[in-house]
Amino acid sequence: MNTTSPHRTTSQTIGWAVLILIALYSLLGGIWLSALGGSWYYAALGAALLASAWLLRRRRTAGLWLYALILAATLAWGLWETGPDFWALAPRYDLLFLLGLWLLMPPATRGFAAPGPAKAAVGVAMLGMLAVLGYGMFNDPQEIDGTLAHAQPAQARPVPGVADEDWPAYGRTEGGVRYSPLAQINDGNVKDLRVAWTYRTGDFRTANDSGETTNEVTPIKVGDKLFLCTPHQFLDALDAATGRRLWRYDPKLKADKTFQHLTCRGVAYHDAHNAARFPASAARADDQASALCPRKMLLPTNDGRLIAVNADNGRTCGDFGKDGEIDLQQSMPHAYPGGYNPTSPPVVTASTIVIGGSVTDNFSNKEPSGVIRGYDVRTGALKWVFDTGAEAPNAMPGEHTKFVHNSPNAWAPLAYDARTDVVYVPTGVGTPDIWGGDRDALKERYANSILALDASTGRLVWHFQTTHHDLWDMDVPAQPSLMDVTTDDGQVVPAIYVLTKTGNVFVLDRRDGQPVVPVTEKAVPQGVARGPQTRGEHYAPTQPFSALDLAPQGRLTDKDMWGATMLDQLMCRVMFKRLNYEGIYTPPSENGTLVFPGNLGVFEWGGMSVNQDRQVALANPIGLPFVSRLIPEDPDRAIGVKGAGTESGVQPMYGTPYGVEINPFLSPLGLPCKAPAWGYVAGVDLRNNQVVWKKRIGTIRDSLPHLFQMPPLKIGVPGLGGPISTAGNVMFVAATQDDYLRAFDVSDGRLLWAARLPAGGQATPMTYAAGGKQYVVIMAGGHGSFGTRMGDYLVAYALPD
């Protein structure tokens, strides 16, 4: 006897249709993935869902039992692939869980014979999913829980010539430590921080500006003044206690959409009377201080100038350069506005200004030089050069000679050892980045390296290369950090910590460049596995790897792919299997190559914070894959439009046999194809070079349309900007794609405090004291290409009175 109703409910019709569509997508996509050598589970799942849908359409209770089995199998499969990782499991379970909810509703099974026990089985499987997800939320397999053993000493070690309450350089010291001895704000009271004042710069992105218009500045503080620059390179002096503007200097920047970058990470300060800050170079300095500007600010501008401004009144220093300016385009080959673009502050010694700059990436093989130069700090006269592509790098340009075009550039902040008068220069690859068939040995010699130069003469002391024949834009992207480290055998070594986009942290002896932490040359992929071989290219057989490595460990597999749902995760797995990928340093290809770590790198310009008092480092590494695809072109084609004002998308690489398309590896819904986390904070014991704690940082609260807002669950998002730390056992970092400034416990990585910012905080914070009160300051102005909210806010936090 047929006990079912002859009429199918609307709920049953809609649910059945959705189930059929998901089943067909999973079956067909799963067959495609299996044919590519990926997981077969999706195809099997699709077949099982089709069978369940057929039974459910016929109102057979067996369809419910089969669906319960599908849920249980998927529960086990997800755990087998990822372990109890909430964010990795969520897309594997979400659609099936929602369909299970539908099946538990009475309308879905109206007309079924005795569906109760089968529904209970579906419910039990769903509860199993919830239990696993709940466990994963509070027991994250990606995080490391530990405590740094070395406590903060009662007295922080002083820095000669730097007052405890000041932050007089980009990294507080020219050695890039990003650590302050202040402790008024500490791990016990940081939760009480409030906004003390907000300064609005009034500098906003215009319709004529680059897509890479960004607010990346870290202010500096000397005495009672705070100094900062804006994207259009306005130089502002503020009262450090109130945020009130004291003066503004306008360099009248000449910028347009073709500039690949429109940003200013910071300015530099020189006080001719502070010899204690520069003991080694003070002896080489001209005894005669500038009468017009004994205290001067040095402002790099994106149209290729360096400007000296009186720190007391905001007027240009007329006895410096030509009317207060140096033309950094002088003697440049192929010079054009924006082609040579200094975005980071220079190093300033007692006698010399040392400056590098950015060269447009991937536009052509006829670009300006990446030469590093030293200028007299008083007069602005050129003292020395180090041309990274020249046979004689210190040879000065003559009346009829210019620097070497496309030589490797140094766009990140430099570091300086005041005790030895040595400047440490992080270099990148000579552009174009993604094809190197025309680079000669001289253009490779100092690429992707750390150069130790005598700051007063420019002579090379030593150099160390971090990537050979770079085809992935793996620059040395951050200011190195200098610290005297105590090794396991009790020796104190003057070390330099060199951060790379690959995630390797090369720890070298500052005296001779020899590794303090072991470095191993390892074989890397050779040639192109899919698609035609790249014309005119060759590959380095090995690459250096440091024993201190903060990159995500292991090669990616299709199990590591992600999405909002199982369906776009499946498509990411298909896309992954179609790309060339054999691990890090897989060569670029016409087929498309997965680059991981990606072009943003594990580390970027924000650097890390080192605390010599505790022998620890704090970092915020990221891990987001990119895809590069070579586009065959005529190398002799004429140069067309000027630069596109961005580093991503299609780049022409004129003069080479290829253009290139570079983009993040995203799902059809625009989410990263690699499972999160994409961003972390980490604490490292520098005595043994162990990562003691590691936590996800950031949410997707500000990455979704407001219509799809969800609770701000910690997922671990990418960030641009670095951390700082203090003697109060607090690490401060913003950087993330959500609009927050956060404070973490230095000892164990616990989140202590988070403040909502009015715009994106893609900058490194700083801290200082004024009037007996400690402040923490962050630029919240957003990042044009990172997709965060744009603004013009400089926000200062302090404890209540």
Side-chain angles (χ1 to χ4, degrees):
M1 179 178 177
N2 185 1
T3 61
T4 62
S5 167
H7 301 293
R8 187 168 289 107
T9 68
T10 302
S11 172
Q12 289 174 329
T13 301
I14 294 173
W16 178 81
V18 170
L19 184 56
I20 285 288
L21 290 174
I22 292 174
L24 288 172
Y25 188 103
S26 182
L27 176 63
L28 297 176
I31 292 172
W32 189 8
L33 179 61
S34 298
L36 293 170
S39 172
W40 53 264
Y41 186 78
Y42 295 87
L45 174 67
L49 287 174
L50 280 175
S52 177
W54 183 81
L55 291 169
L56 291 172
R57 181 174 173 79
R58 296 176 63 84
R59 298 193 179 91
R60 301 283 181 86
T61 305
L64 290 172
W65 285 107
L66 179 55
Y67 196 81
L69 181 61
I70 289 169
L71 289 176
T74 302
L75 171 63
W77 166 73
L79 281 171
W80 173 73
E81 284 210 319
T82 73
D85 186 326
F86 172 85
W87 288 105
L89 290 171
R92 289 167 166 83
Y93 294 169
D94 53 8
L95 286 181
L96 297 181
F97 186 89
L98 291 174
L99 283 169
L101 286 178
W102 165 69
L103 287 173
L104 294 182
M105 295 178 182
T109 54
R110 188 167 296 150
F112 281 58
K119 278 191 171 187
V122 170
V124 167
M126 291 169 62
L127 287 174
M129 285 182 169
L130 288 177
V132 167
L133 290 171
Y135 177 85
M137 284 189 70
F138 300 102
N139 297 273
D140 190 339
Q142 292 194 36
E143 295 196 341
I144 299 172
D145 295 318
T147 301
L148 291 163
H150 310 291
Q152 181 73 33
Q155 186 64 44
R157 188 175 315 193
V159 178
V162 178
D164 285 356
E165 61 269 20
D166 282 354
W167 191 285
Y170 175 77
R172 185 168 185 268
T173 69
E174 299 280 20
V177 296
R178 276 168 286 281
Y179 161 72
S180 169
L182 297 178
Q184 184 183 90
I185 299 169
N186 56 56
D187 53 2
N189 61 23
V190 66
K191 65 182 184 301
D192 299 322
L193 282 180
R194 302 290 185 269
V195 174
W197 52 260
T198 300
Y199 170 66
R200 304 290 299 273
T201 69
D203 188 10
F204 295 96
R205 180 178 172 182
T206 72
N208 195 45
D209 287 340
S210 160
E212 290 278 340
T213 300
T214 60
N215 287 270
E216 299 177 358
V217 68
T218 298
I220 65 174
K221 186 263 185 183
V222 182
D224 59 359
K225 293 186 182 70
L226 205 62
F227 301 95
L228 70 146
C229 54
T230 71
H232 290 89
Q233 278 98 76
F234 297 127
L235 172 59
D236 290 348
L238 312 182
D239 183 291
T242 66
R244 178 178 62 87
R245 187 199 293 173
L246 302 174
W247 53 257
R248 162 170 283 186
Y249 173 76
D250 180 1
K252 300 197 168 35
L253 180 74
K254 304 175 184 69
D256 60 43
K257 289 182 178 180
T258 66
F259 280 33
Q260 197 165 75
H261 299 278
L262 189 63
T263 195
C264 183
R265 296 189 183 96
V267 294
Y269 172 76
H270 174 69
D271 182 349
H273 302 298
N274 187 0
R277 187 175 167 195
F278 306 110
S281 64
R284 304 191 189 187
D286 189 330
D287 291 335
Q288 184 180 358
S290 166
L292 291 177
C293 292
R295 290 170 296 279
K296 59 169 62 89
M297 305 305 304
L298 293 154
L299 172 69
T301 65
N302 292 171
D303 54 4
R305 293 175 289 157
L306 179 64
I307 304 173
V309 178
N310 189 305
D312 297 321
N313 56 33
R315 301 191 187 101
T316 52
C317 300
D319 59 352
F320 180 89
K322 183 179 180 181
D323 299 324
E325 296 187 1
I326 295 172
D327 179 10
L328 298 175
Q329 298 271 28
Q330 189 173 355
S331 301
M332 277 291 183
H334 310 297
Y336 62 92
Y340 181 83
N341 187 332
T343 55
S344 297
V347 152
V348 184
T349 79
S351 63
T352 310
I353 304 162
V354 185
I355 189 167
S358 171
V359 174
T360 303
D361 277 354
N362 294 316
F363 185 70
S364 81
N365 65 354
K366 294 181 178 178
E367 295 295 313
S369 172
V371 61
I372 298 103
R373 285 168 282 190
Y375 294 91
D376 185 284
V377 74
R378 185 178 67 84
T379 67
L382 181 63
K383 293 178 61 177
W384 58 260
V385 306
F386 191 93
D387 190 346
T388 51
E391 184 171 0
N394 293 123
M396 299 286 274
E399 185 177 349
H400 303 292
T401 60
K402 295 185 176 182
F403 299 119
V404 175
H405 68 89
N406 294 74
S407 56
N409 60 88
W411 58 266
L414 318 182
Y416 175 66
D417 188 341
R419 291 182 297 183
T420 60
D421 195 31
V422 173
V423 62
Y424 298 93
V425 181
T427 68
V429 60
T431 188
D433 303 50
I434 314 300
W435 185 83
D438 62 352
R439 298 182 206 148
D440 59 25
L442 290 177
K443 287 186 180 176
E444 299 274 21
R445 179 169 55 167
Y446 298 126
N448 306 87
S449 297
I450 189 73
L451 312 178
L453 306 180
D454 183 302
S456 295
T457 67
R459 300 295 178 186
L460 180 70
V461 180
W462 56 261
H463 83 283
F464 178 91
Q465 190 165 69
T466 64
T467 294
H468 311 316
H469 192 60
D470 179 17
L471 303 173
W472 307 269
D473 192 19
M474 291 298 156
D475 300 337
V476 182
Q479 181 183 36
S481 295
L482 311 186
M483 194 192 89
D484 293 348
V485 65
T486 303
T487 60
D488 286 338
D489 59 5
Q491 293 188 30
V492 177
V493 177
I496 179 170
Y497 291 81
V498 182
L499 277 64
T500 64
K501 284 190 177 183
T502 64
N504 284 286
V505 181
F506 293 98
V507 188
L508 310 174
D509 190 315
R510 297 204 298 273
R511 296 167 295 192
D512 55 17
Q514 293 302 305
V516 177
V517 173
V519 174
T520 306
E521 289 280 341
K522 298 180 182 179
V524 292
Q526 303 289 299
V528 173
R530 288 189 178 89
Q533 297 301 307
T534 303
R535 288 178 281 165
E537 190 57 273
H538 65 279
Y539 310 105
T542 64
Q543 295 288 356
F545 291 83
S546 172
L548 178 54
D549 183 5
L550 272 74
Q553 297 303 298
R555 282 175 52 175
L556 294 178
T557 70
D558 65 325
K559 295 178 184 179
D560 297 304
M561 297 303 104
W562 194 70
T565 69
M566 179 180 285
L567 304 183
D568 55 312
Q569 185 207 33
L570 167 58
M571 191 50 60
C572 279
R573 293 177 89 139
V574 169
M575 293 160 60
F576 171 81
K577 281 294 185 180
R578 297 183 68 194
L579 292 168
N580 285 329
Y581 178 69
E582 301 170 67
I584 189 173
Y585 294 120
T586 301
S589 62
E590 295 180 37
N591 173 77
T593 293
L594 186 72
V595 182
F596 184 68
N599 295 60
L600 277 181
V602 175
F603 294 108
E604 257 288 343
W605 44 265
M608 68 180 184
S609 172
V610 295
N611 179 344
Q612 184 166 305
D613 296 326
R614 293 181 69 176
Q615 300 277 292
V616 300
L618 293 310
N620 56 326
I622 63 176
L624 190 66
F626 273 61
V627 174
S628 67
R629 194 180 310 275
L630 293 173
I631 305 167
E633 295 281 6
D634 178 4
D636 299 320
R637 67 196 188 281
I639 293 180
V641 296
K642 295 171 71 177
T646 179
E647 292 185 82
S648 60
V650 176
Q651 304 293 321
M653 298 204 299
Y654 290 115
T656 79
Y658 294 96
V660 66
E661 183 179 10
I662 303 172
N663 286 304
F665 184 34
L666 303 179
S667 78
L669 296 181
L671 295 173
C673 266
K674 175 195 167 292
W678 312 295
Y680 304 89
V681 286
V684 184
D685 186 331
L686 297 179
R687 291 179 185 266
N688 57 22
N689 301 295
Q690 297 298 310
V691 177
V692 175
W693 58 260
K694 183 178 179 183
K695 311 289 182 180
R696 299 182 193 234
I697 180 175
T699 72
I700 55 174
R701 171 174 179 171
D702 297 305
S703 302
L704 297 173
H706 288 293
L707 182 64
F708 300 104
Q709 284 301 303
M710 59 185 293
L713 299 176
K714 181 175 67 173
I715 185 172
V717 297
L720 287 174
I724 67 169
S725 63
T726 74
N729 195 42
V730 182
M731 168 190 181
F732 291 98
V733 63
T736 53
Q737 283 183 311
D738 57 352
D739 303 335
Y740 285 95
L741 173 66
R742 294 178 169 91
F744 295 88
D745 187 303
V746 169
S747 296
D748 58 19
R750 287 181 300 118
L751 179 64
L752 301 173
W753 171 81
R756 192 85 170 120
L757 296 174
Q762 282 65 59
T764 302
M766 51 85 75
T767 186
Y768 63 90
K773 177 175 286 193
Q774 184 181 352
Y775 297 85
V776 177
V777 172
I778 181 70
M779 183 69 211
H783 195 287
S785 62
F786 207 50
T788 53
R789 187 182 313 165
M790 301 297 287
D792 69 331
Y793 306 87
L794 186 73
V795 187
Y797 297 88
L799 296 171
D801 291 331

